[in-house]
Amino acid sequence: MRVQEVGPAIFRRMAAIPRLTPRKEPRQDRSRALVADLLEGTRRVLVSKGYDDTVMAEIAEVTGVSVGSVYQYFPSKESLLTALHVSLLEGDVTHLADNLMEHRDTDLEGLAAVVAAVALESFHAHRDVLHALEDAAHAMGSERKLAPVRAQGVQLLTGFLESHVGYRGEEPELTAHVVQRLMSSMPRVLTECGEAELAHSRLTALVHTALLD
Amino acid sequence: MRVQEVGPAIFRRMAAIPRLTPRKEPRQDRSRALVADLLEGTRRVLVSKGYDDTVMAEIAEVTGVSVGSVYQYFPSKESLLTALHVSLLEGDVTHLADNLMEHRDTDLEGLAAVVAAVALESFHAHRDVLHALEDAAHAMGSERKLAPVRAQGVQLLTGFLESHVGYRGEEPELTAHVVQRLMSSMPRVLTECGEAELAHSRLTALVHTALLD
Amino acid sequence: MRVQEVGPAIFRRMAAIPRLTPRKEPRQDRSRALVADLLEGTRRVLVSKGYDDTVMAEIAEVTGVSVGSVYQYFPSKESLLTALHVSLLEGDVTHLADNLMEHRDTDLEGLAAVVAAVALESFHAHRDVLHALEDAAHAMGSERKLAPVRAQGVQLLTGFLESHVGYRGEEPELTAHVVQRLMSSMPRVLTECGEAELAHSRLTALVHTALLD
Amino acid sequence: MRVQEVGPAIFRRMAAIPRLTPRKEPRQDRSRALVADLLEGTRRVLVSKGYDDTVMAEIAEVTGVSVGSVYQYFPSKESLLTALHVSLLEGDVTHLADNLMEHRDTDLEGLAAVVAAVALESFHAHRDVLHALEDAAHAMGSERKLAPVRAQGVQLLTGFLESHVGYRGEEPELTAHVVQRLMSSMPRVLTECGEAELAHSRLTALVHTALLD
DNA sequence: GATGAATGAGTGTTCATTCAT
DNA sequence: GATGAATGAACACTCATTCAT
């Protein structure tokens, strides 16, 4: 699956968040495309080599440009990796937002099912990259850049819960955090050790439990 | 908290699993101590510097030995990092085993509470190291070495569930995996975003849900 | 102070010397101006950043043109730097020539005073650039291009001395070299460590001594 | 001529000055030798390639060690270049000091002759290196490290003049600066354009003039 | 056994120069 | 003619690993 185009739908729906600032604002189509190609190239290298062996030269090579060009768009390796990470997380948040909107009238249990489904989809879309990217993020201490996107996801959920008729909890934000965490960490075990059906039902149960608090 | 002595109690209780093979079997006390010191030194460096900046020379220095000596006991950086990782995981498994034994007659809900407590304790004991070590593990692709220890934890839980009167599930192994995952990934969010009390009750709820399947 | 227009007055007075050959003979006014702008831009960058950090891209930027355009007029970084250097030295030689002409009838001591004054003026006009340019010249081994201009200055002085009634020396060329060197190297110390008055009188004394041999 | 051993005689005579701090104090003979070899290797590369093309890898190669070893003794390229520079300047200052001591009772003119001789000797000993090193120094902005050594030379001369019976000037420090400058900048022209005899007599004349003020 | 100096392949990054538009 | 995106060789510096002492 291709890395999503930069500048996702969610922007129209939520307050702006601080963006990664690539060296040069990709205004022309050419640039836009190259930035996207670069993210995609990065993804491929990351998946095939793992964080430690992800090397700028190879990213350039698989993307079909020169190292110099990479640095024209991203001032550092870190910024490139982080941009990819942000892009993926944003995609996931958008995906979640879309689905929540669509099921805004479902009861808590239905909601849990939706959330579980979204989580499993996101997981399948990114299985390997995100793993590698998380290493990268810690290793480079670039969490700071990711925090906003994560926070955005939490806000989304928090807001949703607060306005949801079925939700009776007193700490919607904590709940949002917990749900986010369930979404990001359970899919792997569930799909690696069980069938798809099972995975969904079990994850749903966990999310439901979380929503009840 | 100090890294535990190598060769934990759980060995006496469960089948042996393939060990990391340090270059030299530490038979003499001197060696045993040095290996332990090295793991402790590694832990400190890892915590203070993060994976990317963890350097053999510094590990040697804080441990008070020469680089050469490090390589006498661990054939590579990876093996050293992995040994520490294994050691910590083993400690956690042991801890879990001890507690399960002690509460072998509790009902499922009580069990969930115990499991949650153990998870939170383990988390507090290792907060920072494990984070860094997980990066390291991915970055170096050394999951292979860790799998056995993780499997051991799963086996422990699986066996326990199978013989537990309250457990009605049909897939004890999947459940064990899920519980293990809950134990390792939920404590961080829960303690960072809520108070200790809350963290325990919420984690208990999740584990309980997992055990019901 | 602005870099002087290319093609100084001295040309009318002395035999032509081999010139730097910019890729394109600047015939149209537009080009002439651009070349001058480029030299001025180079000067500014050189002064503010120093040789090592003087980068073609920045020169282009501060001049308000594209890198490509720079290369239209100067085939290489070296040629640009050298052109500036030559331009400054030519300016100095012209300045000296003008002043010598004007005081062609002064005695040796008066002459020394004139020379000292010219040297101090030149120094004040170029303090920082010339320093940086000299680094550049060595670092790039482009002395060859500068030699002619320097030689021109020496010739000027030599000729002047030969026809001067007060000069009794036997090696006018060596004297010319020495004087040139005094002019280029003494002002800095003299002005940095003493007052203007003092600087002039001391430099005059040295030049006078040189002229006596 | 070989680069001088580190730790010159002048230390015994003058107050300590801030030294370059190589990463590791060369205590053992092996280290001492290597540091010296490195300086010598640097000198050779610098002379044969010029500043811009002086590359760590080549310095290592001609010295017969690995790049890593270079960095064991000098934390950066700059520090290496500066160490060489300081070493040479110190040598020159020492040389001057020795000669002044020896001729402490000579009259001003004799003194000028001694100073001129020392300057010419130093020049012959270092002709090419120092040129390259001066570029380097500017380009890297490491004048700060050199200032002390230069200051030391000035102090030496200043003190000498103040206690010299023949000296009648009122600004011994300015004079010292001027003399130092004459020593460093005149030899090149004088020897390139005239014979040795002549060079010495002319330089003597200039220095004498300087001493009279 | 222990040491730590030596190694050198490997990395991120820069920048003079070119050339398609 | 002008532009500035693209190129890629080159470089300083790091660090896991070895091995002579």
Side-chain angles (χ1 to χ4, degrees):
Chain A
M1 163 181 275
R2 196 117 207 306
V3 171
Q4 336 203 344
E5 286 287 315
V6 189
I10 195 165
F11 277 162
R12 277 170 260 125
R13 218 177 297 116
M14 311 199 70
I17 52 160
R19 295 294 311 281
L20 263 200
T21 46
R23 226 173 218 175
K24 149 175 316 186
E25 199 57 22
R27 277 193 209 108
Q28 284 123 27
D29 283 353
R30 180 91 174 282
S31 302
R32 275 186 101 88
L34 207 135
V35 166
D37 287 354
L38 240 14
L39 294 183
E40 168 62 10
T42 305
R43 194 190 63 77
R44 273 160 55 193
V45 176
L46 221 30
V47 167
S48 67
K49 298 292 176 77
Y51 166 59
D52 254 12
D53 293 337
T54 289
V55 159
M56 293 301 266
E58 192 176 356
I59 293 179
E61 192 186 303
V62 309
T63 309
V65 297
S66 65
V67 229
S69 291
V70 180
Y71 279 88
Q72 193 125 47
Y73 293 96
F74 295 93
S76 67
K77 184 183 183 183
E78 181 186 338
S79 73
L80 175 52
L81 257 25
T82 312
L84 173 60
H85 203 162
V86 167
S87 150
L88 293 176
L89 293 186
E90 280 185 349
D92 287 353
V93 173
T94 306
H95 190 201
L96 178 61
D98 289 343
N99 279 274
L100 288 181
M101 290 300 143
E102 216 173 300
H103 298 82
R104 124 189 42 180
D105 304 319
T106 327
D107 64 2
L108 270 200
E109 184 153 20
L111 207 63
V114 169
V115 166
V118 169
L120 289 165
E121 282 170 35
S122 290
F123 172 69
H124 283 116
H126 311 315
R127 353 173 21 89
D128 305 302
V129 217
L130 264 155
H131 231 212
L133 276 170
E134 266 146 32
D135 301 345
H138 292 166
M140 302 179 319
S142 50
E143 310 273 18
R144 194 171 25 91
K145 295 279 185 53
L146 299 168
V149 199
R150 293 227 166 87
Q152 198 184 1
V154 169
Q155 271 171 46
L156 174 68
L157 274 164
T158 308
F160 193 87
L161 288 180
E162 282 169 343
S163 66
H164 192 278
V165 296
Y167 178 70
R168 298 268 177 275
E170 309 221 311
E171 299 235 37
E173 193 172 335
L174 174 54
T175 299
H177 271 114
V178 170
V179 170
Q180 193 185 44
R181 190 77 180 157
L182 287 173
M183 290 179 75
S184 69
S185 59
M186 303 314 294
R188 179 170 300 266
V189 232
L190 289 168
T191 53
E192 272 172 8
C193 313
E195 320 152 31
E197 282 289 290
L198 214 53
H200 183 256
S201 80
R202 293 225 174 187
L203 184 47
T204 301
L206 289 171
V207 172
H208 191 200
T209 301
L211 293 178
L212 287 176
D213 276 319
Chain B
M1 164 181 277
R2 196 122 205 306
V3 171
Q4 338 202 342
E5 286 286 315
V6 190
I10 195 166
F11 278 161
R12 278 171 259 124
R13 220 177 297 116
M14 311 198 70
I17 52 159
R19 296 293 311 281
L20 263 200
T21 47
R23 227 172 217 175
K24 142 177 322 185
E25 198 57 23
R27 279 195 206 106
Q28 285 125 25
D29 283 352
R30 179 98 174 281
S31 304
R32 277 184 100 89
L34 207 143
V35 166
D37 287 353
L38 240 15
L39 294 183
E40 168 62 9
T42 305
R43 191 190 63 77
R44 273 160 53 193
V45 176
L46 220 31
V47 167
S48 67
K49 298 292 176 75
Y51 167 57
D52 253 13
D53 293 337
T54 290
V55 159
M56 293 300 267
E58 192 177 355
I59 293 178
E61 191 188 303
V62 310
T63 310
V65 297
S66 65
V67 231
S69 292
V70 179
Y71 278 87
Q72 194 109 46
Y73 292 97
F74 296 93
S76 68
K77 184 183 184 183
E78 183 186 337
S79 73
L80 174 52
L81 257 25
T82 311
L84 173 59
H85 203 161
V86 167
S87 148
L88 294 176
L89 293 185
E90 281 183 350
D92 288 350
V93 173
T94 306
H95 190 203
L96 178 61
D98 289 343
N99 278 273
L100 288 181
M101 290 300 143
E102 217 173 297
H103 299 82
R104 137 186 30 185
D105 304 319
T106 327
D107 62 4
L108 268 200
E109 185 153 20
L111 207 61
V114 169
V115 165
V118 169
L120 289 165
E121 280 169 35
S122 290
F123 171 69
H124 283 117
H126 310 317
R127 342 174 31 86
D128 305 302
V129 218
L130 265 159
H131 230 215
L133 276 170
E134 266 146 32
D135 299 346
H138 293 164
M140 303 179 318
S142 51
E143 313 271 19
R144 193 170 25 92
K145 296 279 184 53
L146 299 167
V149 200
R150 293 225 166 88
Q152 197 184 359
V154 169
Q155 271 170 48
L156 173 68
L157 272 164
T158 308
F160 192 86
L161 288 179
E162 280 168 344
S163 65
H164 192 278
V165 295
Y167 178 70
R168 298 268 177 274
E170 309 219 312
E171 300 233 38
E173 193 172 334
L174 175 53
T175 298
H177 271 114
V178 169
V179 170
Q180 191 185 45
R181 190 75 181 159
L182 287 173
M183 291 178 75
S184 68
S185 59
M186 303 314 295
R188 180 170 297 266
V189 232
L190 288 168
T191 53
E192 272 172 9
C193 312
E195 319 152 31
E197 284 288 289
L198 214 55
H200 183 255
S201 80
R202 292 224 175 186
L203 184 47
T204 301
L206 289 171
V207 172
H208 190 200
T209 301
L211 292 178
L212 287 176
D213 277 317
Chain C
M1 162 179 278
R2 198 121 204 304
V3 170
Q4 337 201 342
E5 286 286 314
V6 188
I10 195 165
F11 278 161
R12 277 171 259 124
R13 220 177 297 117
M14 312 198 68
I17 52 160
R19 297 293 312 283
L20 262 201
T21 46
R23 227 174 216 171
K24 142 178 320 187
E25 198 56 23
R27 277 195 208 106
Q28 285 126 26
D29 282 354
R30 180 94 174 283
S31 303
R32 280 184 97 87
L34 207 141
V35 166
D37 288 354
L38 240 14
L39 295 183
E40 168 62 9
T42 306
R43 192 189 64 78
R44 274 160 55 193
V45 177
L46 220 30
V47 168
S48 67
K49 299 292 176 74
Y51 167 58
D52 252 14
D53 293 337
T54 289
V55 159
M56 292 301 266
E58 193 177 355
I59 293 178
E61 192 187 302
V62 310
T63 309
V65 298
S66 65
V67 232
S69 293
V70 179
Y71 278 87
Q72 193 109 47
Y73 292 97
F74 295 95
S76 68
K77 185 184 183 182
E78 181 187 338
S79 73
L80 175 52
L81 257 25
T82 312
L84 173 59
H85 203 161
V86 166
S87 149
L88 293 176
L89 293 186
E90 280 184 349
D92 287 352
V93 172
T94 305
H95 190 202
L96 178 61
D98 290 343
N99 278 274
L100 288 182
M101 291 299 145
E102 217 173 297
H103 298 82
R104 125 188 40 178
D105 303 321
T106 325
D107 62 1
L108 269 199
E109 184 153 20
L111 207 64
V114 169
V115 166
V118 169
L120 290 165
E121 280 169 36
S122 290
F123 172 69
H124 283 117
H126 310 318
R127 345 172 28 86
D128 305 302
V129 217
L130 265 157
H131 229 214
L133 277 171
E134 266 147 32
D135 301 346
H138 294 164
M140 303 179 317
S142 51
E143 311 272 18
R144 194 170 25 90
K145 297 280 184 53
L146 299 167
V149 200
R150 293 227 166 86
Q152 199 184 358
V154 169
Q155 272 170 47
L156 174 66
L157 273 165
T158 306
F160 192 86
L161 287 180
E162 281 168 345
S163 65
H164 192 277
V165 295
Y167 178 70
R168 299 268 177 273
E170 309 221 311
E171 299 233 37
E173 193 172 334
L174 175 52
T175 298
H177 270 115
V178 169
V179 170
Q180 192 183 43
R181 191 74 180 160
L182 286 172
M183 291 179 74
S184 68
S185 59
M186 304 313 295
R188 181 170 299 266
V189 233
L190 288 169
T191 53
E192 272 172 7
C193 313
E195 319 152 31
E197 284 289 290
L198 214 55
H200 183 256
S201 81
R202 293 223 174 189
L203 185 47
T204 300
L206 289 171
V207 173
H208 191 200
T209 301
L211 293 178
L212 287 177
D213 277 318
Chain D
M1 162 180 275
R2 198 121 206 305
V3 171
Q4 339 200 342
E5 286 286 314
V6 189
I10 194 160
F11 276 161
R12 277 170 260 123
R13 219 175 298 115
M14 311 200 69
I17 52 160
R19 295 293 311 283
L20 263 201
T21 45
R23 225 173 220 172
K24 149 177 316 189
E25 200 57 23
R27 274 189 214 112
Q28 284 122 27
D29 282 353
R30 180 90 174 283
S31 302
R32 276 185 100 88
L34 207 134
V35 165
D37 287 355
L38 240 14
L39 293 183
E40 169 62 9
T42 306
R43 193 189 63 77
R44 273 159 57 192
V45 176
L46 220 31
V47 167
S48 67
K49 297 294 176 75
Y51 166 58
D52 253 13
D53 294 336
T54 289
V55 159
M56 293 301 267
E58 192 177 356
I59 293 179
E61 193 187 302
V62 309
T63 309
V65 298
S66 65
V67 228
S69 290
V70 179
Y71 280 89
Q72 193 124 48
Y73 293 96
F74 295 93
S76 67
K77 185 184 182 180
E78 181 185 339
S79 74
L80 175 52
L81 257 26
T82 311
L84 174 59
H85 203 160
V86 167
S87 150
L88 294 177
L89 292 186
E90 282 184 350
D92 288 351
V93 173
T94 306
H95 190 202
L96 177 61
D98 290 343
N99 279 274
L100 288 182
M101 290 299 143
E102 218 172 296
H103 299 81
R104 137 187 29 185
D105 303 320
T106 326
D107 63 2
L108 269 199
E109 185 153 20
L111 207 63
V114 169
V115 166
V118 168
L120 290 165
E121 280 170 37
S122 290
F123 172 69
H124 283 117
H126 310 316
R127 342 175 30 86
D128 306 302
V129 218
L130 264 156
H131 230 213
L133 277 170
E134 267 146 32
D135 301 345
H138 292 165
M140 302 179 317
S142 50
E143 312 271 17
R144 195 170 26 91
K145 296 277 185 54
L146 299 168
V149 200
R150 293 226 166 87
Q152 198 184 359
V154 169
Q155 272 171 48
L156 174 66
L157 273 165
T158 307
F160 193 85
L161 288 180
E162 281 168 344
S163 65
H164 192 276
V165 294
Y167 177 70
R168 298 267 178 273
E170 309 220 311
E171 300 234 37
E173 193 172 334
L174 175 53
T175 298
H177 271 114
V178 169
V179 169
Q180 192 184 44
R181 191 76 180 158
L182 287 172
M183 291 179 74
S184 69
S185 59
M186 303 314 295
R188 180 172 298 266
V189 234
L190 289 167
T191 53
E192 272 171 7
C193 312
E195 318 152 31
E197 283 288 291
L198 215 53
H200 183 255
S201 80
R202 294 224 174 188
L203 184 47
T204 301
L206 289 170
V207 173
H208 191 200
T209 301
L211 292 179
L212 288 177
D213 278 318

